[in-house]
Amino acid sequence: MPRRETAAARALRMAAMTASVTGSYIGYLAQRSFLGEKKREEKLRSTHAKTGRRIVNDLQSLRGPAMKLGQFLSVQSGVLPDETLSELASLQREAPAMHPSLARAQFKGAMGAAPERVFKSFDETPFAAASLGQVHRAVTHDGETVAVKIQYPGIKDAVKNDFTWFRAFATASQIKRRFPETLLGELERHIVAETDYESEARNVEFFAQALRPLKYVDVPRVRADLSRDVVLTLSMLDGESIDAFLSRRPSQKLRDLVGERLLEMYYFQVLRLEAFHADPHWGNYLFRPDGTIGLVDFGCVKYLSRAFVDNLRAVFLYPGRRDSAAFRDLLARRYALAGQRLSAKSQRALVQMATEFYGKVYPPDIERDEERFDFGNAPVVLDYMRETQNLTRAKGTLPEYVFLGRAEAGLYSTLHRLKARVRTSALVRRCLADRTV
Amino acid sequence: MPASRARQRRPKPPSRVTKRPTPPRGGRTRERQKEAVRQRIVDAALALFQSKGFDETTTRQIARKAKLAEGTIFNYFETKEDIALHFFELELDHAIATVRGNARLRRAPLDEKLFALVEAQLEFLAPYERFIGAAFVHALRPTSRIAFSMRALDLRNRYIAFVQELLQESERIPTGGVLAWAAPSVFWIYYLGILLYWLNDASKGKQHTLALLDRSLRIGVAVLEKRSL
């Protein structure tokens, strides 16, 4: 075991583990930490994300959706550096690893036949972790190389149970105030949706179609004939992780190109598609030497309402003063859409964010459109999170912010790592200009 | 088919119960005929156990279904409980063959081997779920031949011996300890518990059983290997 702990603490974890034998996601993860898996120890030894480690350790007593909540909270409250974020992002998708016999049994339970019969060849060792499961490489009988996602058994029910538990727990505590029911409901819907590979398949198909205007983005194709609720088969995309990509020392020009594309992808999704890939985990972006990008894992997708996006359109690159009555009125209307009243405190936080953060990263003056914002210079993500933290303190968080914040923080930390110089405002303006998809 | 894949493929669970893997070879026709008749009886009995229920099925009905004289059946099996036990012997043969037939499993960690064993058993039993439930209840009676006959004892001992064998293959388990000594017998009881859970598992593809099996085996093996507690 990595840490010494009191008997009481251990008893508690044992209790969490056994309370409901298959019923709790917390149980799965408690078990994993209880058994002190090698992989985690290695990770803890190797990386330099000290804070991440500490927080990850602290969060281990609060795993499952509780941990996911903690993670969203941390993105929202913005006290964490970007390394920490990535550490947390990797935690969030962890399910206990399945050995080949278990993966095979789970596959067979869903598909009615074992993988070695369904596929021409099937790699027993997974090549990646997926949302609450793992991904195997396989070749279909018609010769296509595919990625087969298999979900850990029973995780959907476990997640649902944990939310029931969390609600009961949250009622009696301060958490309730930080997490109003609207927010909790939103999170539950999305985390449960992430366990539903059929809904993910629909997301993949939607984005494959909708992202077509962006020629440089590749989205996998769903093999519906080889997919079920806990098994999802997708065409394999090539490309490498950001770490591998950066290790080849790509030129500034290439990094700028990729950076601009990432930023455009984000605003194109939010403003034009009114739906976005809300899982900015680095493993979900596959980079290629020609500057094209593969986008995978559509388990967490947020669909926005037209009215909400219209409001964003009015606010983005707002040309006038951001402490003006007109601008504040726009913000108030956004909250009215959600049936909330914008408090004076939240309003101050939002106006400050619009001026101090967005005004600097995205100068609204069209004359400055050719200027490139250098994401390599400053860890913008820290500024971003400091601002969102102010907003959270002011209790001004809308459910949409949770996902926008997650995607945006992920975007900025990627751009920072790329040291990309990006014509931010020009790209946003382009996405604002045309609404036809 | 590439050879490596052929090796990995496990024996398919039979939709009908097939022969024991060690039939008399060499073409002694009488022996083979006997085995075929035995098979007919078992197939007929299982079909009836599954459709009518174990308790409701009589040897007369089995005979009719197998198109044999009732007396013939008694040449092979004393009671219908013996037919059930024969079926469970086949189940164990299948499970052992599955674990041993997979080259990769030889080097796999103990928890995966044990998982593969139980999973192969459940795979074999899956088409006869209703019958298994009835047999389980039957075995709880103090007079049950399914639980308390010599034949049942042999079956249990074979199972325990195989589990013992798997445990001994693991170098991480300290020998001579009380835990390691008791583990194979405890595993038998554990298996019955899993079976009960499986029978009551309404989740899709019996996912909950898979999860319980995986998690409990990991913990159990960790305890045996003194990695925890």
Side-chain angles (χ1 to χ4, degrees):
Chain A
M1 307 256 331
R3 285 181 300 159
R4 294 209 151 269
E5 59 183 343
T6 64
R10 187 160 63 192
L12 258 175
R13 281 203 290 145
M14 285 294 286
M17 181 173 58
T18 48
S20 146
V21 201
T22 53
S24 170
Y25 185 61
I26 295 173
Y28 290 101
L29 294 154
Q31 168 195 318
R32 212 191 53 109
S33 80
F34 158 74
L35 296 177
E37 214 161 82
K38 262 188 242 124
K39 195 181 107 215
R40 206 193 86 235
E41 284 168 24
E42 274 163 24
K43 191 158 82 190
L44 295 188
R45 241 181 283 124
S46 66
T47 63
H48 59 283
K50 253 189 195 160
T51 338
R53 262 173 269 168
R54 187 173 49 74
I55 288 165
V56 165
N57 281 336
D58 290 349
L59 281 175
Q60 261 157 16
S61 50
L62 265 183
R63 284 184 170 257
M67 186 197 65
K68 279 205 174 202
L69 289 170
Q71 189 201 349
F72 279 112
L73 179 72
S74 65
V75 171
Q76 286 299 304
S77 60
V79 284
L80 310 171
D82 50 353
E83 286 90 350
T84 309
L85 272 181
S86 75
E87 187 88 13
L88 288 170
S90 74
L91 254 188
Q92 164 239 328
R93 55 191 42 254
E94 275 181 49
M98 289 182 273
H99 53 63
S101 302
L102 176 58
R104 181 186 180 278
Q106 170 75 343
F107 182 94
K108 200 170 164 243
M111 301 291 296
E116 67 269 16
R117 287 165 59 82
V118 172
F119 295 104
K120 195 156 117 196
S121 70
F122 179 84
D123 217 342
E124 283 191 322
T125 319
F127 70 88
S131 23
L132 311 170
Q134 58 195 34
V135 198
H136 296 255
R137 186 186 297 269
V139 178
T140 62
H141 283 297
D142 47 28
E144 188 181 8
T145 305
V146 288
V148 186
K149 280 173 74 163
I150 304 177
Q151 192 172 94
Y152 191 88
I155 220 121
K156 188 185 213 158
D157 294 327
V159 167
K160 280 186 193 156
N161 287 352
D162 280 357
F163 265 97
T164 311
W165 169 86
F166 191 84
R167 280 214 166 75
F169 171 71
T171 317
S173 73
Q174 289 201 328
I175 295 172
K176 194 88 176 179
R177 266 187 288 152
R178 276 197 108 128
F179 282 105
E181 181 53 38
T182 47
L183 212 64
L184 205 60
E186 179 89 357
L187 284 177
E188 181 175 12
R189 262 195 307 285
H190 275 81
I191 296 173
V192 169
E194 259 188 80
T195 65
D196 181 358
Y197 286 179
E198 274 158 359
S199 97
E200 182 173 347
R202 288 192 293 277
N203 289 336
V204 175
E205 276 159 356
F206 169 78
F207 280 94
Q209 175 70 33
L211 285 172
R212 245 178 231 168
L214 305 182
K215 302 272 180 254
Y216 51 81
V217 190
D218 253 350
V219 173
R221 269 180 314 103
V222 178
R223 290 290 306 249
D225 55 329
L226 300 170
S227 302
R228 298 289 185 275
D229 58 341
V230 293
V231 172
L232 179 62
T233 303
L234 300 162
S235 61
M236 185 80 85
L237 293 188
D238 59 349
E240 44 192 21
S241 71
I242 187 162
D243 296 297
F245 179 75
L246 287 175
S247 70
R248 292 168 189 278
R249 303 186 172 277
S251 66
Q252 181 70 48
K253 206 176 147 205
L254 180 57
R255 283 183 279 121
D256 291 349
L257 178 71
V258 170
E260 293 209 330
R261 287 176 166 177
L262 286 172
L263 191 103
E264 185 179 37
M265 266 164 72
Y266 173 72
Y267 284 99
F268 184 86
Q269 290 176 63
V270 171
L271 295 173
R272 303 271 285 271
L273 308 185
E274 295 163 5
F276 61 99
H277 185 288
D279 189 353
H281 181 256
W282 284 329
N284 293 343
Y285 291 83
L286 299 169
F287 298 95
R288 297 143 180 187
D290 63 355
T292 59
I293 300 160
L295 187 57
V296 296
D297 202 336
F298 290 84
C300 185
V301 167
K302 173 69 188 157
Y303 292 87
L304 299 166
S305 72
R306 171 60 62 96
F308 186 84
V309 174
D310 280 341
N311 187 277
L312 293 182
R313 283 175 163 270
V315 169
F316 285 176
L317 300 184
Y318 186 79
R321 286 185 64 89
R322 295 180 180 199
D323 49 5
S324 65
F327 187 78
R328 282 185 310 206
D329 184 49
L330 275 174
L331 297 176
R333 264 187 273 157
R334 180 189 299 171
Y335 282 74
L337 286 175
Q340 287 189 30
R341 209 183 59 80
L342 178 61
S343 71
K345 214 172 154 195
S346 302
Q347 192 186 64
R348 270 196 303 278
L350 280 166
V351 167
Q352 188 194 320
M353 186 168 184
T355 321
E356 295 297 311
F357 180 77
Y358 287 111
K360 282 190 183 125
V361 181
Y362 303 86
D365 185 359
I366 198 161
E367 306 283 295
R368 297 177 60 190
D369 265 15
E370 282 311 300
E371 267 179 37
R372 285 172 182 272
F373 185 86
D374 190 344
F375 283 93
N377 252 349
V380 183
V381 70
L382 287 186
D383 300 335
Y384 175 74
M385 290 193 303
R386 194 172 46 242
E387 298 297 333
T388 51
Q389 183 185 22
N390 287 337
L391 188 58
T392 311
R393 278 212 205 99
K395 300 191 182 70
T397 303
L398 290 177
E400 284 86 353
Y401 292 176
V402 176
F403 297 94
L404 284 167
R406 197 179 174 203
E408 217 175 329
L411 173 70
Y412 296 143
S413 50
T414 307
L415 294 176
H416 177 56
R417 292 199 63 193
L418 283 168
K419 296 196 168 40
R421 296 173 313 185
V422 178
R423 285 165 295 182
T424 46
S425 300
L427 292 165
V428 175
R429 210 178 301 282
R430 207 194 296 170
C431 292
L432 283 170
D434 190 2
R435 157 145 259 168
T436 50
V437 174
Chain B
M1 194 191 338
S4 61
R5 198 158 62 82
R7 240 198 342 269
Q8 283 171 7
R9 175 180 290 189
R10 300 179 186 191
K12 233 180 96 186
S15 50
R16 282 151 39 92
V17 173
T18 49
K19 286 187 205 165
R20 297 190 60 160
T22 50
R25 284 185 61 93
R28 289 237 300 278
T29 326
R30 246 194 85 212
E31 275 300 324
R32 243 187 291 157
Q33 268 173 353
K34 261 186 97 172
E35 195 54 43
V37 173
R38 190 193 309 276
Q39 196 54 54
R40 250 163 77 191
I41 297 169
V42 172
D43 287 346
L46 282 173
L48 290 168
F49 292 164
Q50 180 66 12
S51 61
K52 290 175 67 85
F54 183 73
D55 283 331
E56 289 74 14
T57 304
T58 62
T59 43
R60 182 193 298 262
Q61 289 162 335
I62 298 172
R64 203 179 307 138
K65 176 114 186 159
K67 298 198 172 65
L68 294 165
E70 202 179 347
T72 314
I73 293 191
F74 293 119
N75 290 338
Y76 291 84
F77 299 103
E78 270 179 58
T79 62
K80 66 175 176 183
E81 284 80 8
D82 287 302
I83 304 181
L85 279 168
H86 180 71
F87 169 75
F88 291 125
E89 286 158 10
L90 294 177
E91 171 218 322
L92 183 56
D93 291 341
H94 165 79
I96 293 177
T98 302
V99 174
R100 287 315 189 197
N102 184 330
R104 189 191 54 78
L105 266 184
R106 284 213 170 266
R107 292 178 303 277
L110 180 59
D111 61 321
E112 187 182 351
K113 284 184 189 169
L114 294 172
F115 179 93
L117 172 68
V118 177
E119 164 62 13
Q121 291 178 273
L122 297 179
E123 191 175 62
F124 189 92
L125 299 180
Y128 310 103
E129 210 179 314
R130 182 174 171 203
F131 157 54
I132 310 305
F136 210 108
V137 174
H138 191 282
L140 294 177
R141 296 177 199 154
T143 54
S144 170
R145 282 178 70 89
I146 293 182
F148 302 107
S149 61
M150 280 312 283
R151 192 166 185 169
L153 192 66
D154 279 349
L155 180 65
R156 185 159 62 234
N157 286 342
R158 248 181 89 211
Y159 187 83
I160 290 172
F162 184 63
V163 173
Q164 173 98 54
E165 206 177 300
L166 294 180
L167 256 51
Q168 279 165 352
E169 281 168 23
S170 166
E171 282 151 16
R172 285 167 160 179
I173 296 181
T175 45
V178 158
L179 266 181
W181 170 76
S185 305
V186 171
F187 193 84
W188 166 252
I189 310 218
Y190 163 81
Y191 166 67
L192 294 178
I194 290 287
L195 196 59
L196 201 57
Y197 188 87
W198 175 81
L199 286 166
N200 288 300
D201 184 359
S203 65
K204 225 169 158 185
K206 302 251 184 210
Q207 281 184 52
H208 288 176
T209 304
L210 295 181
L212 171 62
L213 198 53
D214 179 46
R215 299 170 63 193
S216 51
L217 282 175
R218 283 188 205 214
I219 294 166
V221 169
V223 170
L224 265 183
E225 293 176 349
K226 301 253 162 79
R227 281 190 278 136
S228 273
L229 289 180

